[in-house]
Amino acid sequence: MQARVERSLPSWAVALLLIAVAIGVHAPILGCSFFSDDFQVLWRLGTNGGSSFFRPLSDLSLQANLALAGPEAWTFRMVNLTLLGINGWLVHVLARRLLGNEAALSAGLLFVLYPFHLEPQAWIIGRGIALASAFTLGALVVATGHAPAMMRTIAVTLLVLLGSLCYESALLAPLLVSAWWLILRPADAKGWRVMVGASIAVVVLNLALRWMVLGGLANDYGAAFFGK
């Protein structure tokens, strides 16, 4: 039944379906106020204060949200929920390439409905996580596609760079690309080596920029994970 339904839906329709499910399921949180650290983020955005984290693209997204819609919590969450649906669609695309149509829609729905990763939906500061996930998943979709190797390398490099400017989890992209290389065992091994190397170069660049801006690879919050 599911396979027949999925074959009848074009990719854009699956994306809209997953966005609708993401918004519908999480609709109760749209009426909630800001939570916890959200207030500190709002104060920093409103006063143009600096951040102890190196997440410039995430900050820029939140600043644009505030400028366009004001301090309305539901508008921030609507963007985050839309990103959740988009990320679910990217998971669907990857699952379709690996497992076929029978499991692809289930994978996308499971990603959207999984009840234990709520921070990107409930907290506005989860915007960075949602954006980093989108760019990293996008890089994997491009890497597993059929475009010429050079085009894939350029796109993967750009997407990993954008993801690394949103949240630290995107720095794991080289490992994820390598994992997909081992799983798929593609014929163009040279192209995949270049993509892995390019993503590693992006990570090194991000760490260098992070050191220049923050004076170290991690702020006090991040450093505490290694000492406490």
Side-chain angles (χ1 to χ4, degrees):
M1 174 65 179
Q2 177 184 301
R4 290 197 298 271
V5 170
E6 187 174 349
R7 278 196 294 268
S8 66
L9 289 177
S11 185
W12 62 266
V14 175
L16 291 179
L17 172 64
L18 291 172
I19 292 172
V21 171
I23 294 174
V25 168
H26 296 88
I29 69 172
L30 291 176
C32 295
S33 175
F34 296 105
F35 296 144
S36 188
D37 292 348
D38 289 347
F39 293 102
Q40 182 180 2
V41 173
L42 284 173
W43 177 84
R44 178 169 57 80
L45 294 176
T47 59
N48 294 317
S51 173
S52 61
F53 293 98
F54 184 67
R55 301 166 184 171
L57 197 55
S58 173
D59 289 342
L60 183 61
S61 172
L62 292 173
Q63 287 172 345
N65 207 142
L66 182 63
L68 292 173
E72 298 290 339
W74 73 270
T75 64
F76 288 87
R77 294 199 178 98
M78 277 294 293
V79 175
N80 288 9
L81 292 178
T82 301
L83 285 169
L84 174 64
I86 292 172
N87 288 337
W89 172 72
L90 292 170
V91 169
H92 155 80
V93 173
L94 287 171
R96 187 174 58 195
R97 293 177 180 176
L98 184 63
L99 304 173
N101 287 338
E102 290 75 10
L105 187 57
S106 294
L109 286 170
L110 178 61
F111 184 89
V112 168
L113 299 174
Y114 185 69
F116 295 110
H117 63 164
L118 289 177
E119 182 175 334
Q121 289 77 257
W123 290 15
I124 68 168
I125 59 173
R127 178 71 57 82
I129 301 173
L131 285 172
S133 298
F135 288 126
T136 304
L137 287 168
L140 296 177
V141 168
V142 171
T144 57
H146 302 290
M150 181 58 69
M151 292 181 60
R152 283 186 292 144
T153 299
I154 294 174
V156 167
T157 302
L158 178 60
L159 289 167
V160 174
L161 175 62
L162 293 174
S164 71
L165 296 176
C166 295
Y167 201 80
E168 291 76 14
S169 58
L171 298 177
L172 296 175
L175 295 178
L176 298 176
V177 175
S178 299
W180 275 86
W181 181 10
L182 294 175
I183 291 170
L184 297 178
R185 298 187 179 277
D188 59 333
K190 180 180 178 181
W192 279 80
R193 280 197 297 269
V194 174
M195 283 191 291
V196 172
S199 61
I200 292 174
V202 168
V203 171
V204 173
L205 174 62
N206 180 275
L207 295 178
L209 292 173
R210 186 180 298 269
W211 187 282
M212 293 169 58
V213 173
L214 300 180
L217 296 181
N219 59 6
D220 293 340
Y221 180 84
F225 283 97
F226 300 98
K228 298 181 180 180

